[in-house]
Amino acid sequence: MLRLEGTIANHDGVFEGAVLIDESTGLIDSIEARTGVSDLDTAGCLIFPGFGDIHIHAREDVSGQQCYKEDFATTSAAAVQGGVVQVADMPNNPTAPVDDARYAAKEQLTHKSAVHVTLYAGIGPTTRPLTRHVPYKAFMGPSVGDLFFRSQAELESAIEHYRGRNVSFHCEDPVILEASKGAPTHESRRPAVAEITATEFALYLIEKYELIGKLCHYSTGEGLKLIAAAKARGVRVTAEVTPHHLYFDDAMLTDENRLWLQMNPPLRSPADRIAMIEALRSGLIDYIATDHAPHTIAEKMQGVSGVPLLDTYGAFATWLMAEHGFTPEAIARVCAWNPGRFVKEFLPARFGLGFGKVAAGYIGSLSIVDMKTPWLVTREQMKTKCAWSPFEGVTFPGRVRYTVLEGRVHGEA
Ligand SMILES: [Zn+2]
């Protein structure tokens, strides 16, 4: 039995205690009072339920074409450094998982990952639901890969077949993106109105086809009103926000960092950034999900969109606490509990009550975060295969000291 004592931070409360994990099942056996005996030194730390990043791009598929950027082994090493114990991987691969056979083939590849991987299946113009119960992803506008739609009508004719399913949407309207092609900057070629228009349509689809909907990497303050109104009338929708949309805005762009900080959707205004922080705090936004996009340094210099963020997941959470006053409970909610609820229905039965809470019966995977030791992020420390970070040079107020995976300890970082 692994015994860890310290300050335990769940979404519904913080307390002093001991967590006992049965290494043979990987599940939490019990929570007890502190006795002064702990298998790990957790002084100065918060013991969180393991963090979950439900939007990543690990880049590995059966074609192997993009394994030079990242694979399930390196993405999992980056996750462990970031305190992330479970991830959900997007389907925009060269051999996209859009049917049972391709999904099963990609799933085989995930076994080299130390952290649990849930796979999304892709929705394209001609796809149909899988036999298996899986989450789906629909890319509304052109991004990286081929799974996208040219119009709202084309998207709806595909979604009609997915009634009642769990579908995540990348909200950027393809017609507006096409019309904005000639604008001078990446940010103006992908304007906020593209996300807002796509949000209206995604919410319409979620309601009409009774989907369990999720809006990915949300970035516009204006669109939050639509999400709030939909939630208020009982639409089953949740929303993600990325670390980069919470930390950076378009007023911070310079000639030096512009290419590094290019992603879809792009950085927005300072007011949008603050609106995202407040929506995350209030519960209107449900998850911190990174959209981890491990493109190589050479690709970034050629203008490829996306940034790698798994290595810094937990350290970023300490910034939200120190800089923006997020409580440990709020961090547990958006980094562990809500992501755990999202993947629960797709987990194998041996995972008990699933991820997201330090309590008996849940998976014994924990993120032990040192709140007192600042971390200067450097390129050399990154475990992602693409080997860089948009946070290079940033000093976070804390970092992940240990990541525990089903009772097995990884660290000290
Ligand atoms: Zn993505």
Side-chain angles (χ1 to χ4, degrees):
M1 203 78 81
L2 182 74
R3 180 187 180 90
L4 302 176
E5 292 202 0
T7 307
I8 295 168
N10 278 330
H11 70 286
D12 57 359
V14 176
F15 60 97
E16 297 296 313
V19 51
L20 279 77
I21 305 174
D22 182 342
E23 292 112 324
S24 67
T25 62
L27 299 177
I28 296 173
D29 178 80
S30 55
I31 306 295
E32 297 179 356
R34 289 185 77 153
T35 62
V37 180
S38 178
D39 291 328
L40 293 176
D41 175 13
T42 67
C45 291
L46 289 171
I47 301 173
F48 285 102
F51 296 148
D53 186 351
I54 59 170
H55 187 145
I56 72 152
H57 298 265
R59 295 292 164 204
E60 181 167 359
D61 72 354
V62 292
S63 81
Q65 283 177 35
Q66 296 184 339
C67 288
Y68 67 93
K69 298 174 191 258
E70 188 85 296
D71 56 48
F72 284 114
T74 55
T75 211
S76 124
V80 167
Q81 170 150 257
V84 172
V85 306
Q86 60 105 350
V87 295
D89 185 59
M90 287 295 169
N92 58 330
N93 303 113
T95 304
V98 293
D99 57 34
D100 285 299
R102 284 181 173 197
Y103 188 94
K106 187 178 175 187
E107 193 174 43
Q108 285 297 318
L109 302 172
T110 67
H111 296 155
K112 62 170 79 81
S113 170
V115 304
H116 183 73
V117 182
T118 301
L119 295 179
Y120 290 90
I123 297 179
T126 61
T127 62
R128 293 291 181 272
L130 274 56
T131 311
R132 282 180 59 175
H133 183 51
V134 300
Y136 295 89
K137 170 70 179 293
F139 296 82
M140 296 175 83
S143 189
V144 179
D146 301 323
L147 289 175
F148 63 84
F149 297 88
R150 284 162 200 82
S151 69
Q152 293 186 345
E154 191 181 37
L155 176 60
E156 181 162 3
S157 67
I159 291 293
E160 277 170 3
H161 302 281
Y162 290 81
R163 179 177 287 276
R165 311 284 168 143
N166 182 312
V167 181
S168 293
F169 292 89
H170 177 133
C171 293
E172 286 188 288
D173 184 77
V175 175
I176 294 174
L177 294 186
E178 185 63 30
S180 309
K181 258 183 167 171
T185 62
H186 179 73
E187 291 68 37
S188 54
R189 286 189 287 273
R190 308 185 80 108
V193 64
E195 181 168 272
I196 296 161
T197 301
T199 301
E200 287 172 345
F201 193 61
L203 291 171
Y204 154 80
L205 293 175
I206 291 165
E207 202 160 6
K208 180 170 178 185
Y209 297 101
E210 300 174 309
L211 308 176
I212 298 165
K214 174 159 67 67
L215 308 182
C216 297
H217 37 59
Y218 214 76
S219 66
T220 55
E222 196 62 25
L224 291 173
K225 295 170 191 158
L226 301 172
I227 300 174
K231 283 189 169 188
R233 65 176 187 271
V235 179
R236 291 186 297 179
V237 64
T238 56
E240 313 165 352
V241 65
T242 67
H244 47 273
H245 287 116
L246 297 167
Y247 192 92
F248 300 105
D249 56 52
D250 62 6
M252 301 175 189
L253 287 170
T254 65
D255 289 343
E256 285 69 45
N257 67 19
R258 186 173 289 282
L259 283 172
W260 296 108
L261 294 176
Q262 180 178 317
M263 72 286 291
N264 305 330
L267 295 183
R268 305 294 190 190
S269 71
D272 284 318
R273 184 172 72 85
I274 296 303
M276 291 305 119
I277 291 170
E278 293 314 318
L280 185 66
R281 193 199 313 272
S282 75
L284 178 54
I285 289 181
D286 303 272
Y287 324 93
I288 297 179
T290 62
D291 198 12
H292 175 75
H295 301 299
T296 66
I297 290 170
E299 287 169 334
K300 289 307 289 179
M301 294 304 97
Q302 291 155 13
V304 174
S305 294
V307 292
L309 289 157
L310 269 171
D311 283 276
T312 50
Y313 190 102
F316 178 76
T318 71
W319 176 80
L320 280 174
M321 287 188 271
E323 188 72 21
H324 288 285
F326 275 55
T327 62
E329 290 95 331
I331 293 298
R333 171 169 49 83
V334 298
C335 297
W337 175 251
N338 287 342
R341 291 307 86 197
F342 182 79
V343 298
K344 173 79 173 73
E345 63 195 280
F346 310 110
L347 297 176
R350 71 179 175 88
F351 279 166
L353 296 175
F355 294 98
K357 188 169 185 181
V358 184
Y362 283 83
I363 299 173
S365 295
L366 308 172
S367 307
I368 301 178
V369 179
D370 182 343
M371 302 299 296
K372 302 237 163 85
T373 307
W375 182 31
L376 170 61
V377 177
T378 64
R379 184 169 290 185
E380 295 68 35
Q381 296 165 314
M382 297 300 102
K383 307 283 191 198
T384 175
K385 195 185 275 187
C386 69
W388 68 278
S389 167
F391 288 123
E392 285 169 28
V394 169
T395 299
F396 286 116
R399 68 177 304 180
V400 175
R401 186 183 294 176
Y402 301 105
T403 301
V404 179
L405 300 175
E406 299 175 50
R408 288 169 293 114
V409 180
H410 296 250
E412 173 158 17

